[in-house]
Amino acid sequence: MNKTAKGPLIPYVFWIILFVIAPIALIVYYSVLDLNGNFTLANYAKFFTPVYLKMTLSSFWYAFLITLFTLLFAYPTAYLLTKTKHKQLWLMLIIIPSWINLLLKTYAFIGIFGLYGPINALIEVFGFDPKQILFTDFSFVFVSVYIFIPFMIIPIFNSLDKMNPSLIYASRDLGANAWTTFRRVIFPLTIDGVKSGIQVTFIPALSLFMITRLIAGNQVITLGTAIEQQFLVSQNWGMGSTIAVFLILFMVLTMLFTKQKSKGGRV
């Protein structure tokens, strides 16, 4: 590669070094420091104690639930969108709420799920006592699914929209029913879109902290919540960085697990 070809890569390499490699290196550096700035591996040893291991398992469990329910709602929605007449318009209407500030949407759900909100007002109409919907696992998962669902729909929609419909017709001509066609034809051909949707949902769900504070009321503890507490409350940057190191590692493993396989040449 000559110097002319290398020229356009310089800004890209500079960006990667400044905004990817340097921050990660800084996090790793702080993770081996104690409160006095001395070198230590105690932070890593502490991460493998029951408290932090339980918190890690909890983070994975809630991220799994959020991703699962998001996928269950997003896939049929994306499929129906591909069958509508003005599919791009409907897709835009689904995407638009994601442009609204996350904090505003979170506060909106505080009002909706509150004791004096519309949900409890509807419950009282049927003669039942108001329920505390906020600060529960349900409210946390529900709001998280609502926030992530557009990001799951988009890649699945693109995969479905690009699929050759003649393959579905061929499956039906060969006697396959609707479920068999979906299981053996549609889903395998759109698996790359599903994997992309899982990446953009599961990875951020591991590090949620604002929703856990406002919607779950600290009833749900995730890796993101622990990092925020270590940096802003405990002022223990070493432990916070150590948790961040493992969070980055989990994100990389998730990306490797859901990466798209190369299909080689295309006819």
Side-chain angles (χ1 to χ4, degrees), residues 114-232:
L115 286 175
Y116 303 100
I119 300 298
N120 272 307
L122 182 62
I123 291 175
E124 290 181 329
V125 169
F126 291 95
F128 298 99
D129 295 330
K131 305 294 182 181
Q132 180 58 272
I133 305 175
L134 278 176
F135 315 134
T136 62
D137 293 356
F138 167 80
S139 61
F140 170 68
V141 174
F142 184 93
V143 175
S144 300
V145 169
Y146 167 80
I147 290 171
F148 286 122
I149 199 167
F151 305 104
M152 180 72 81
I153 288 176
I154 293 172
I156 295 176
F157 172 85
N158 290 333
S159 295
L160 287 167
D161 198 41
K162 294 177 181 177
M163 187 174 58
N164 189 347
S166 62
L167 298 174
I168 300 177
Y169 301 146
S171 175
R172 293 174 179 173
D173 289 341
L174 292 172
N177 56 32
W179 169 245
T180 302
T181 300
F182 171 78
R183 183 171 57 89
R184 301 295 295 272
V185 179
I186 298 175
F187 189 78
L189 290 176
T190 57
I191 191 64
D192 286 343
V194 173
K195 288 181 178 180
S196 297
I198 290 174
Q199 284 184 1
V200 299
T201 302
F202 186 84
I203 292 175
L206 277 177
S207 57
L208 288 173
F209 69 93
M210 184 176 67
I211 297 177
T212 59
R213 294 290 192 194
L214 299 177
I215 299 297
N218 291 332
Q219 299 299 313
V220 175
I221 304 297
T222 65
L223 291 171
T225 307
I227 292 173
E228 180 204 24
Q229 184 175 10
Q230 293 294 336
F231 274 99
L232 301 182

Side-chain angles (χ1 to χ4, degrees), residues 244-265:
V245 168
F246 281 100
L247 180 59
I248 293 171
L249 179 61
F250 295 147
M251 290 178 177
V252 172
L253 292 175
T254 302
M255 293 179 67
L256 291 175
F257 182 75
T258 57
K259 69 178 182 179
Q260 300 178 8
K261 296 181 180 179
S262 176
K263 299 179 181 178

